[in-house]
Amino acid sequence: MDILQFLLDALTPLNLVLALVGVALGTLIGALPGLSATMAVAILVPFTFTMSPASGLIALGAIYTGAIYGGAFAAILVNTPGTPSSIATTFDGYPMAKRGDGGLAVTLATLASVIGGLVGAVTLLLLAPPLADVALSFGPTEYFWMAIFGLTLISALSVGNTIKGLIGGCLGLLLSTIGVAVVGGDVRYTMNSQMLLGGIDVTSALIGLFCIPVVIDLVANKAPHLTVLQDDRGYRMGEALRITLGSKLNTIRSSLIGTAVGILPGAGGSIAGLIAYSEARRSSKHPERFGTGEPDGVIATESSNNATVGGGFIPTLVLGIPGTPPDAIILGALLVQGIKIGPSLFNEQSNIVYTFMFGLLIATLLMLPVGLVMGRYAYKSIVHIPKSLLVPTVAFLTVLGSFAIHSNPGDTQMMVLLGIAAWVLQRYGFAPSPIVLGLVLGQIAEQGFVQTYMIGSATGGVAPMFFGRPISMAIIAFALLTLFYPLFVMLRKRRPKSVAVERTDMVVESAPSTQRPFRDLPALGFGALFVVVGVMAYLQTKDMSAMGSVFPGALAVALVSLSGLLMAFQIGRPPAPACSGVGAEGKPSTLRRSAIVVALVVWVLLMPVLGFFVTSLAAFLILIAIATFERLASRVIVLYAISAVVIVGVFHLLMANVLNLRMPVGLLF
C-alpha cells in the first residue's frame, strides 16, 4: 500500500473544500436542538452520489464529526444538548457559562473534540480489522450490562440525593417502554393513543427535559441569563491548553472509552459520554466539583463522544454492521456507490477506504479553527442578545427542532409536556438528567435483558446467562465500582474530627454537626405518587406477553421499592420549621413563568390546527411580551416585531423548501 499516495489523494483541493464545508455545516446543524447528526447526514447523502466514492465519504464523515461536536454549543450556552451525544456536556458546560466561563468552556470542548476525534480516526486507520472482532464478542447480555453501566452515572450525578436519582432513572426506563415493544411487539402504556404507538422520541424528550425548564426560569427575574466578565478574554486558548494538558490522562482515557464504545453497534456517543464522565468523576481528586462547572467534565464528554465517530466506522467498514444511525446512512451511501463492504474492502478497494480515513483525520483537524471561530461568535451572540429576544428564540428552536425530527406535532406536544413535568420535578430535587439517561438507554437495556432472559430460560440457566460470562462480569465490576465509589468518598469525608472555628477573639473546638436533615414533605408526596405509578404500570403487564412484560414489570417493582424507601427515610426525619414570607422569586416571577407555560401549551396545541407559521409568529410575539421587564420604546418594539417575522419566516422557508419537511398549514397559512 502506498500510504503517502492515499494521504495526497485526501489533500486534493476538492477534498479539502468538502472537509471544510462538511465540518462547518455539521457544526451548525448539530448546534440547533433537534437537528441531529443523523438528520444532517441523511439530508446531504444525495449530493454525494455525483462525487467519487472517496470524496463522498470524506464529505459525509466531515458532516458527521462536525455535527457531534456542534451539539456542545447548545449544551454549554443554553443547557440543551444539540445532539444526544452532548447530554453530559450540560452537566458542567452550562454552569461554566453561567459564571462567565462560557468562552473557556467552548474552547475546552473544541480542543477535547479534536483530540478525541483524532484518537478515534487514528484507531480506525491502524487497527480497524482486529478491533472489529471485539464487536462480535458482545452479545445481548453484554449490551444489557453496558446500558446498566451507563445508568450507574446516576450515582455520580445524585450524591446526597441518590434515591431520587434512581427513581428518575426508573421513570426514564419506564418512559422508554411506551409504544410497541422492541422484543415481542406488545403495545404498552399507550392509553389507546395513536400518538404514543411509536413511543417517546428520545431527541424531542431530551429537548423538553433540558430546555423547557431553562426557558421557564429565564423569565423568573431580570437578572442576565449568563454572566458577562468585564475583562472578556476571548478564546482563552492558553488557559484552555493548560487545563487540557493538566488533564491529559482524563482526555486520553475518555477518548479511548469513546473509541471502544463506538466499536459496539448501537451504543453511540451518548453512552460513551456518560461512561467517560462517570469515570472522570470517579478518578478525580475533587469529585464534588463535578456538576458545578468542572472543566474535566466537559473534556471527558467531548473527547469521548467525538472518538465514537472513528470507532463507529470500524464495524461499519469491516463487518457491514453500522455502529450508529449516521453510520447506517453512510453504509447505504457506500452500497449505492457499488462499494463492497467487508474485510476484503481493505485489499480490493484500499484506495477508497484509506483516502477516506485520511480525509476524516483532516476534517477533525479542521474542526479546531472552524469550531473556535463559530464558538466565539455563538458565545458573544448568546451573551449579548437581550432576554426579550433570547426567550422566544430558544422556545421557537425547541418547538422547531422537536417537530423537525419526524414532522410530527405529537412529538412537539410531548416535548412541552415532559419539559413542564421536568421543571416541576426539578424544583423538588428530582433532576432531569437521570430521567434522560433512562430514556436514552432504555431500548438497549430492554433488548439485551429480554434476549438474555429468553436464552437463559431456554437453556435452563437464567442466572448463568446474566452473571456467568467473562465480559459481563468485567462490566458489572466497573458498574459497581462507579456506583459505590462516590458513597465511599462521602463516608470517608464524614469521619468525626475536631474543627477549629475562629470566633471574634478566641478559638474554640467545634464537634461535627449531628443535625439530621428535616422532613421533605414534597418528597413524601412524590414518593406516594410514584408508588401509584409503579403499581399501575405493574398491573398493566398482566395483559402483555412474557417477553413484553418482563422488563417493565421489573422496572415497576424497582420504582415502587425505591419510592417506598424514599418515603420511609422522610418519615423518620424531624419536621421542618415553619417559614414565613414570600420566596425570593416573588409573585411577579410566578406569574411570568405561569404565563410562559400556558403560552407554550397553547402554541403546540394550536399549531396543527392553525398552521406552523401563524402560531409560531403569534407565540414569538407573546413570549417577547412575557420576557420583557421594562417599558420599551416604539422603535425597539418595531425592531423586535421585525426580528420575530424574520426568524420565524427564514426557518419556516428553510424547513419547508430546503429540508422538504411537511410543515403544518392548518386553517391559516
Side-chain angles (χ1 to χ4, degrees):
M1 290 189 303
D2 191 353
I3 296 295
L4 180 59
Q5 184 59 48
F6 298 146
L7 175 59
L8 293 175
D9 290 342
L11 288 171
T12 61
L14 174 61
N15 288 338
L16 286 175
V17 170
L18 289 174
L20 180 63
V21 173
V23 167
L25 281 175
T27 302
L28 181 62
I29 293 174
L32 298 175
L35 304 186
S36 62
T38 305
M39 181 180 293
V41 174
I43 291 169
L44 298 172
V45 157
F47 295 100
T48 65
F49 293 156
T50 59
M51 306 175 188
S52 67
S55 297
L57 269 176
I58 289 172
L60 293 176
I63 293 165
Y64 180 16
T65 192
I68 295 295
Y69 159 65
F73 288 176
I76 291 170
L77 300 178
V78 292
N79 199 39
T80 302
T83 62
S85 300
S86 301
I87 290 173
T89 307
T90 62
F91 301 159
D92 288 286
Y94 186 62
M96 287 184 69
K98 287 188 70 175
R99 73 179 183 221
D101 290 331
L104 176 62
V106 169
T107 304
L108 284 172
T110 304
L111 291 174
S113 297
V114 171
I115 294 172
L118 288 175
V119 170
V122 169
T123 305
L124 171 66
L125 182 64
L126 299 178
L127 302 174
L131 285 180
D133 296 334
V134 176
L136 294 179
S137 64
F138 270 64
T141 309
E142 285 74 22
Y143 279 108
F144 167 71
W145 287 118
M146 276 292 294
I148 298 301
F149 186 17
L151 285 168
T152 57
L153 178 62
I154 292 172
S155 176
L157 295 176
S158 310
V159 173
N161 223 352
T162 305
I163 295 179
K164 288 184 177 180
L166 293 173
I167 290 174
C170 284
L171 289 173
L173 289 169
L174 270 177
L175 288 174
S176 73
T177 64
I178 293 175
V180 180
V182 292
V183 180
D186 292 82
V187 178
R188 305 177 300 194
Y189 306 131
T190 60
M191 295 175 288
N192 297 321
S193 170
Q194 291 186 352
M195 185 179 76
L196 295 176
L197 277 176
I200 296 177
D201 181 79
V202 171
T203 306
S204 61
L206 184 149
I207 294 171
L209 289 167
F210 278 112
C211 196
I212 295 299
V214 173
V215 172
I216 295 173
D217 285 332
L218 277 174
V219 299
N221 51 57
K222 297 172 63 175
H225 47 286
L226 295 177
T227 300
V228 183
L229 295 178
Q230 297 299 322
D231 56 337
D232 187 4
R233 288 163 282 172
Y235 298 112
R236 300 170 70 174
M237 177 61 78
E239 185 178 355
L241 282 172
R242 287 194 299 273
I243 294 174
T244 305
L245 289 174
S247 302
K248 51 185 177 291
L249 180 61
N250 176 28
T251 307
I252 298 302
R253 180 183 60 238
S254 301
S255 300
L256 293 175
I257 288 173
T259 303
V261 173
I263 295 171
L264 306 176
S270 55
I271 294 180
L274 298 172
I275 293 176
Y277 184 91
S278 178
E279 289 306 298
R281 189 188 192 285
R282 181 190 61 78
S283 59
S284 173
K285 295 180 180 178
H286 302 284
E288 71 280 355
R289 295 179 183 173
F290 281 72
T292 63
E294 172 62 31
D296 273 344
V298 176
I299 292 172
T301 306
E302 288 304 308
S303 57
S304 60
N305 62 28
N306 279 272
T308 60
V309 176
F313 277 117
I314 292 175
T316 304
L317 297 176
V318 179
L319 304 174
I321 302 173
T324 61
D327 289 328
I329 297 170
I330 294 174
L331 177 62
L334 288 171
L335 296 176
V336 170
Q337 294 270 18
I339 298 174
K340 183 180 179 181
I341 304 299
S344 61
L345 173 66
F346 290 81
N347 296 321
E348 298 176 3
Q349 295 176 299
S350 59
N351 61 318
I352 295 174
V353 67
Y354 282 103
T355 301
F356 159 66
M357 289 179 183
F358 280 114
L360 188 62
L361 275 170
I362 294 167
T364 304
L365 289 171
L366 289 173
M367 199 159 61
L368 182 62
V370 170
L372 288 175
V373 172
M374 295 182 69
R376 174 61 174 162
Y377 283 107
Y379 177 60
K380 274 194 169 183
S381 300
I382 293 293
V383 165
H384 293 104
I385 189 172
K387 191 179 285 189
S388 302
L389 277 181
L390 180 67
V391 170
T393 301
V394 173
F396 174 70
L397 289 177
T398 63
V399 171
L400 181 68
S402 58
F403 173 80
I405 302 164
H406 301 296
S407 297
N408 183 6
D411 288 339
T412 305
Q413 294 165 4
M414 181 58 67
M415 180 272 296
V416 172
L417 176 63
L418 290 175
I420 295 171
W423 177 67
V424 174
L425 290 172
Q426 194 170 355
R427 290 172 62 82
Y428 297 104
F430 294 89
S433 303
I435 302 175
V436 172
L437 296 191
L439 191 58
V440 169
L441 301 176
Q443 288 197 355
I444 298 174
E446 178 176 9
Q447 188 167 350
F449 181 85
V450 175
Q451 290 177 348
T452 303
Y453 181 81
M454 291 168 58
I455 296 171
S457 299
T459 56
V462 174
M465 276 300 300
F466 276 103
F467 302 101
R469 294 165 63 94
I471 298 179
S472 297
M473 295 302 296
I475 298 173
I476 292 171
F478 279 114
L480 290 174
L481 180 63
T482 303
L483 185 64
F484 290 110
Y485 183 80
L487 180 61
F488 294 150
V489 173
M490 186 171 61
L491 291 176
R492 188 173 59 186
K493 289 184 177 180
R494 287 185 176 180
R495 289 177 181 173
K497 57 183 179 179
S498 60
V499 182
V501 180
E502 184 175 352
R503 188 176 181 180
T504 60
D505 58 344
M506 62 179 180
V507 176
V508 297
E509 295 290 321
S510 123
S513 173
T514 58
Q515 175 66 50
R516 299 171 62 190
F518 294 116
R519 184 180 303 160
D520 185 354
L521 291 178
L524 279 172
F526 279 110
L529 174 63
F530 295 143
V531 166
V532 173
V533 170
V535 170
M536 293 177 62
Y538 185 81
L539 292 176
Q540 291 193 42
T541 61
K542 302 298 183 183
D543 299 326
M544 303 175 191
S545 67
M547 289 185 294
S549 64
V550 60
F551 188 69
L555 290 176
V557 172
L559 179 60
V560 171
S561 302
L562 289 169
S563 301
L565 195 60
L566 176 66
M567 296 170 66
F569 281 148
Q570 299 303 327
I571 291 174
R573 293 175 178 175
C579 58
S580 59
V582 181
E585 294 165 349
K587 189 175 180 180
S589 65
T590 303
L591 288 175
R592 288 180 187 271
R593 287 184 291 184
S594 301
I596 207 168
V597 167
V598 172
L600 288 170
V601 171
V602 173
W603 181 2
V604 297
L605 289 178
L606 291 182
M607 186 174 69
V609 179
L610 299 180
F612 180 86
F613 180 81
V614 171
T615 53
S616 296
L617 181 58
F620 203 106
L621 295 172
I622 291 171
L623 293 180
I624 288 177
I626 295 173
T628 301
F629 286 84
E630 64 278 343
R631 188 178 183 86
L632 299 177
S634 301
R635 179 178 57 84
V636 177
I637 294 175
V638 172
L639 181 62
Y640 282 0
I642 294 174
S643 301
V645 174
V646 170
I647 292 172
V648 175
V650 167
F651 274 99
H652 183 272
L653 291 175
L654 175 66
M655 296 296 157
N657 299 326
V658 178
L659 302 183
N660 295 318
L661 298 179
R662 294 178 285 106
M663 307 300 288
V665 176
L667 301 177
L668 303 171
F669 173 71

